[in-house]
Amino acid sequence: TVLSADIDHDDITDADGILVQTTDRRGNNSLRVVSMDGTTALGTITATTVLEGFAITGAQGFDNNGGGLYCKGGGSGKECSPTLRNLLFSANFADQGGAIYNDGANGGRANPLLTSVTLRNNSASYGGGAMYNAGRGGESSPTLTNVTIAGSFTTAMFNDGSNNGSSSPVLNHVTFHANRDRWTAASIWNDGRFGGSSEPILSNVILWGGTFTNPEENGCPGSSHVEICNFSSIPTIRASLVAGGCPPGAICGPDVSAADPKLDPMGNNGGATPTLVPGIDSPAIDAGADDVCAETDQRDISRPQGARCDIGAVEATNDRIFANGFDSN
């Protein structure tokens, strides 16, 4: 089922009515597609609230946060921590959090559980092209498992734990690919300034193909890394493939490599959402940490398919037909 912001039905879409790029918008679109409000008298939103099985597309959230989904849990004692499962967020735009804005600021909490979700070609003006985790003075630390984040513009995931807040997401089997920013990290910005904390834990994660549109400028305090910026933040990374190697300020295990994951193009490879599959000779295959190996991949295929689980959101299957590799995963 498609939830679209295209209220006058004139956008350029694929055959299913889903925008592929934010530039495909035409005419009038809604500022936001989905709102989840855990600050009302009805009570907080917890993991028992489930959003599943939708494509969310086309938001044009100028002067607005959370184009695809605004998860409102800001304020003392408030919470927005739903379960988000089997979802595609495609070509949404906002000032912050083009696809998703998790608001746990000012004493609130916003810790959604994301499983088998693809965030594709979403954009934001000021950060979090795919996801903005607002934990300023509160907490916003979502958990992501079997998630693909690709084609975002303006730092795909912004973790804001500033002002005595906390934003320390847990990422397991997540693939970041071809995200972009003007002058700082393409995939993740971690901010723990002013007494705050931002210490994400990344396991079995791919961060690859990020680019700067203005590479001559360095917007990451301290030092520049194409995929991750750590601003008063100390993330932990293990069993992962990271372009450029271990980012400055991070704690990386010996199983963190700068090797090219050799991903096939995004496509419908089975399962509920489009995915990026490791190629036949990808170093992601059989290189994951087994102690945190998920039971299935983003396509609901069991893990591991080989001697060990694979790094990234998708497990490469072993249905090789021809020795030269001219077949598919």
Side-chain angles (χ1 to χ4, degrees):
T1 300
V2 177
L3 303 179
S4 176
D6 182 17
I7 54 178
D8 51 7
H9 306 290
D10 60 354
D11 289 352
I12 299 171
T13 68
D14 64 14
D16 296 315
I18 302 170
L19 282 78
V20 177
Q21 302 288 343
T22 55
T23 53
D24 293 335
R25 293 193 310 269
R26 300 290 184 272
N28 296 311
N29 284 40
S30 298
L31 300 180
R32 181 178 295 146
V33 182
V34 179
S35 294
M36 305 181 81
D37 192 346
T39 68
T40 71
L42 297 176
T44 60
I45 292 174
T46 63
T48 57
T49 298
V50 180
L51 183 67
E52 179 175 14
F54 295 98
I56 297 171
T57 188
Q60 61 171 17
F62 298 103
D63 298 320
N64 189 66
N65 294 330
L69 168 63
Y70 182 77
C71 188
K72 186 177 182 181
S76 180
K78 308 302 182 182
E79 182 172 6
C80 184
S81 301
T83 297
L84 308 176
R85 190 165 56 214
N86 293 329
L87 298 169
L88 168 63
F89 291 84
S90 184
N92 297 285
F93 171 81
D95 279 356
Q96 296 176 314
I100 302 174
Y101 188 93
N102 297 313
D103 184 359
N106 302 318
R109 300 180 70 214
N111 302 329
L113 304 175
L114 284 78
T115 305
S116 297
V117 174
T118 291
L119 301 104
R120 177 186 70 185
N121 299 340
N122 299 283
S123 182
S125 297
Y126 304 112
M131 181 183 298
Y132 196 105
N133 299 314
R136 297 180 301 274
E139 181 183 359
S140 182
S141 301
T143 298
L144 283 67
T145 305
N146 294 331
V147 172
T148 297
I149 302 176
S152 312
F153 181 65
T154 311
T155 305
M157 175 183 287
F158 198 112
N159 301 317
D160 185 355
S162 62
N163 296 333
N164 298 308
S166 176
S167 182
S168 300
V170 176
L171 281 61
N172 189 25
H173 291 297
V174 177
T175 298
F176 290 84
H177 184 255
N179 298 296
R180 298 172 296 131
D181 192 78
R182 295 180 183 88
W183 48 275
T184 186
S187 290
I188 302 176
W189 177 296
N190 300 311
D191 188 348
R193 289 177 296 169
F194 308 118
S197 174
S198 181
E199 300 179 353
I201 298 174
L202 283 66
S203 306
N204 299 322
V205 172
I206 293 173
L207 296 119
W208 197 262
T211 57
F212 300 143
T213 57
N214 296 317
E216 69 280 358
E217 300 182 32
N218 177 11
C220 184
S223 59
S224 181
H225 188 279
V226 68
E227 297 290 348
I228 300 180
C229 175
N230 297 314
F231 195 4
S232 300
S233 168
I234 306 175
T236 299
I237 308 174
R238 57 191 294 254
S240 296
L241 301 178
V242 183
C246 185
I251 298 173
C252 295
D255 49 5
V256 172
S257 169
D260 185 343
K262 299 181 181 179
L263 300 171
D264 290 341
M266 180 173 284
N268 295 317
N269 301 298
T273 53
T275 51
L276 292 159
V277 177
I280 188 172
D281 57 347
S282 170
I285 297 174
D286 294 343
D290 286 330
D291 62 315
V292 288
C293 182
E295 293 184 359
T296 62
D297 76 347
Q298 189 172 347
R299 303 174 294 173
D300 205 29
I301 291 174
S302 63
R303 293 183 189 265
Q305 288 288 308
R308 297 172 59 189
C309 67
D310 297 346
I311 296 173
V314 176
E315 188 81 2
T317 55
N318 295 321
D319 56 350
R320 299 267 73 95
I321 300 173
F322 301 108
N324 62 8
F326 290 162
D327 53 353
S328 61
N329 288 324

